[in-house]
Amino acid sequence: PMEALQAIQATHRWADNFVRQLHLCPWAGSSLDKAGAICYWALLVDEEDEERVVLNKMEEIVREAGVQLTLATSDDNEEDGEDDNNNGGRIDPSVAISFIVLVPMKRSTKSNNNALPDFGSFHEFFIDLEDRLLDECDDYWDLIDATEEHDNSKNNNKSDGDKNNKNNEETTNNNNKVPNVNSLGCEITIAAFHPKWQFNGGGGGSNSQSDGDAAAIDYEKRTPYPTISIVMSSVIDSLLKEREDGDGTTNEDDNGGGDGSSALATERIADLNEKTLCAIGVERLKEIFDEEVLGCPMKGHS
């Protein structure tokens, strides 16, 4: 549909003309320059659709997109070898990103944005989804730890001969059990964006520059449409390690080092972005956003 195409083009312009140009994301340029690294998912929303139904559907797509991203970046997907055009081959996790975009259908004379969730509802939905993904990750590692502890306890009570047979039996059993546990929350990191995003209620606090409903820092999370991005958590963690070289220590978890280090990395990026955006000022940011994201045609990039 034309609405979906226009939304994808606008999101691409935002990534290219705003995020990349203002250096708001460390790997934006690499993702944009690598064919096949960015995957767009569009969910069409009608004015008559109930908000809860729309957001539930968006969660389904986020999870599906997360699974697809995990598979596309997996080492198991290297059988076709390296391919500059990325035709069926593995995508480098450091550049892979997916965007799930809510798109209003233009069927009435009303403002088409009426079909989309407002910022408050969308933000609440995102926080809830993020929390559930993290909880699922915790449950996954709890089960892995419990399974290993149980196996070790059993093996300690077996003779050498019985132990070998039992190990083979339990390995098969574990291989059957572990994939059935939802580990998606351990694999991916999600972020939310919205056309009316507001930190701390909007133009107050330290970011006093305001255009009436926005502060400079709000443009870190403002997109043409309500959007959720997905990247591999391992990339966030790797970024933290690189930036830890000169100072501090890294507190890594034995179970994949997940949410703690990811949170620190994103906080560092956010601090840099706040300085950048506040230096530019909200009025100039609005001009750039309106001209380069909402107003200009998409550059020739597939």
Side-chain angles (χ1 to χ4, degrees), residues 7-269:
I8 290 171
Q9 289 177 332
T11 304
H12 186 95
R13 290 196 301 268
W14 165 77
D16 196 3
N17 299 352
F18 196 82
V19 176
R20 192 217 298 250
Q21 295 303 319
L22 299 182
H23 307 289
L24 301 181
C25 176
W27 55 87
S30 299
S31 298
L32 287 160
D33 293 337
K34 178 65 175 178
I38 303 178
C39 183
Y40 295 98
W41 301 66
L43 173 57
L44 292 172
V45 181
D46 191 88
E47 288 179 353
E48 297 181 357
D49 293 338
E50 291 185 14
E51 185 177 271
R52 184 178 62 176
V53 174
V54 170
L55 294 177
N56 285 344
K57 182 63 177 176
M58 188 174 200
E59 176 174 348
E60 292 178 12
I61 296 178
V62 168
R63 290 181 179 276
E64 181 181 353
V67 170
Q68 293 300 319
L69 184 67
T70 302
L71 292 174
T73 57
S74 170
D75 291 338
D76 295 336
N77 199 31
E78 286 191 284
E79 55 189 32
D80 293 328
E82 291 296 326
D83 184 347
D84 289 339
N85 294 320
N86 213 57
N87 294 323
R90 175 179 180 267
I91 300 174
D92 183 351
S94 67
V95 300
I97 186 169
S98 295
F99 292 108
I100 298 86
V101 185
L102 285 182
V103 184
M105 298 182 69
K106 301 175 181 178
R107 290 186 175 176
S108 73
T109 57
K110 299 179 182 178
S111 169
N112 58 339
N113 287 331
N114 289 344
L116 301 178
D118 62 24
F119 169 63
S121 298
F122 187 74
H123 184 259
E124 183 178 351
F125 156 75
F126 167 75
I127 294 298
D128 182 59
L129 175 57
E130 184 180 47
D131 286 345
R132 279 185 282 115
L133 287 170
L134 292 174
D135 288 343
E136 289 167 13
C137 181
D138 289 340
D139 291 342
Y140 173 81
W141 284 115
D142 286 345
L143 180 58
I144 297 301
D145 290 342
T147 301
E148 291 178 352
E149 184 176 343
H150 176 72
D151 291 347
N152 290 336
S153 176
K154 272 194 166 185
N155 289 337
N156 288 335
N157 294 326
K158 297 292 181 181
S159 65
D160 289 342
D162 289 340
K163 187 185 299 182
N164 290 334
N165 292 333
K166 194 62 178 178
N167 280 343
N168 292 333
E169 192 177 303
E170 289 179 351
T171 298
T172 301
N173 187 43
N174 287 343
N175 287 336
N176 289 333
K177 287 174 65 178
V178 172
N180 292 329
V181 180
N182 192 342
S183 62
L184 184 63
C186 304
E187 305 290 341
I188 65 171
T189 295
I190 62 175
F193 306 86
H194 193 278
K196 295 295 184 182
W197 188 282
Q198 292 183 313
F199 287 103
N200 300 321
S206 61
N207 304 306
S208 57
Q209 305 162 300
S210 175
D211 64 2
D213 70 341
I217 186 59
D218 294 335
Y219 278 90
E220 181 190 39
K221 304 280 273 179
R222 289 203 168 192
T223 45
Y225 300 87
T227 300
I228 287 180
S229 69
I230 309 174
V231 298
M232 299 303 295
S233 296
S234 59
V235 177
I236 305 290
D237 298 337
S238 297
L239 178 66
L240 173 72
K241 292 176 186 177
E242 292 175 6
R243 299 198 174 197
E244 285 283 342
D245 286 343
D247 60 75
T249 58
T250 302
N251 181 20
E252 283 199 51
D253 191 293
D254 289 337
N255 294 334
D259 42 309
S261 55
S262 295
L264 286 172
T266 53
E267 285 174 10
R268 287 172 179 243
I269 295 171

